[in-house]
Amino acid sequence: MDILTDILNSAGLTTKLITKHSFFENWAMKFPCNRSMGFHLVTQGTAYIRFDKQKEPLVLNKGDLIMVKRGLDHEVATSPTAKIQNLPAEVLLNSKMPTHKKEKPILTLVGGLYQFQTEPIHPLFAEIPNYI
């Protein structure tokens, strides 16, 4: 075993969810991260990542990837001013977002969530930057 595998195993990090969604209208969703870390990969369009203590959103374009640290709640949106949408968990978990087959999506995202199963958090994950 290599050192990274040892760290991941000892941190109790497990994959909880990996999804791909396309969005056809203005949209935003809040991601609470109290026990997890996650990533967002833009495969089409532009995403705006909003953080509570940051004035301007981080802009991600097609091909951009962000990994967000545990404990850093954030929002992902199709525009800087999009309002938060409250979607039922089963919609996200089952990848059953509303679709419009004849239209081109304004944003397509691949996302993943990794849950921490152990406490305390491994020092590697405690010390990494808020996002990479």
Side-chain angles (χ1 to χ4, degrees), residues 40 42 44-49 57-62 76-79 106-109:
H40 305 286
V42 178
Q44 181 173 323
T46 300
Y48 297 84
I49 312 299
L58 183 65
V59 180
L60 300 180
N61 293 300
K62 182 179 178 179
V76 177
T78 56
S79 76
I106 56 176
L107 174 64
T108 301
L109 283 174

Side-chain angles (χ1 to χ4, degrees), residues 70-115:
R70 177 184 175 185
L72 186 64
D73 295 350
H74 60 285
E75 299 171 356
V76 177
T78 56
S79 76
T81 58
K83 302 288 184 219
I84 297 293
Q85 304 292 314
N86 293 318
L87 297 173
E90 60 272 6
V91 170
L92 293 171
L93 294 173
N94 295 318
S95 298
K96 293 184 179 174
M97 295 292 290
T99 60
H100 305 275
K101 299 281 184 196
K102 295 182 182 179
E103 297 177 31
K104 181 179 175 183
I106 56 176
L107 174 64
T108 301
L109 283 174
V110 174
L113 172 95
Y114 297 90
Q115 189 85 28

Side-chain angles (χ1 to χ4, degrees), residues 11-16 34-37 113-117:
L13 198 60
T14 59
T15 306
K16 295 296 279 185
N34 59 336
R35 291 195 47 82
S36 62
M37 63 187 288
L113 172 95
Y114 297 90
Q115 189 85 28
F116 288 90
Q117 301 298 324

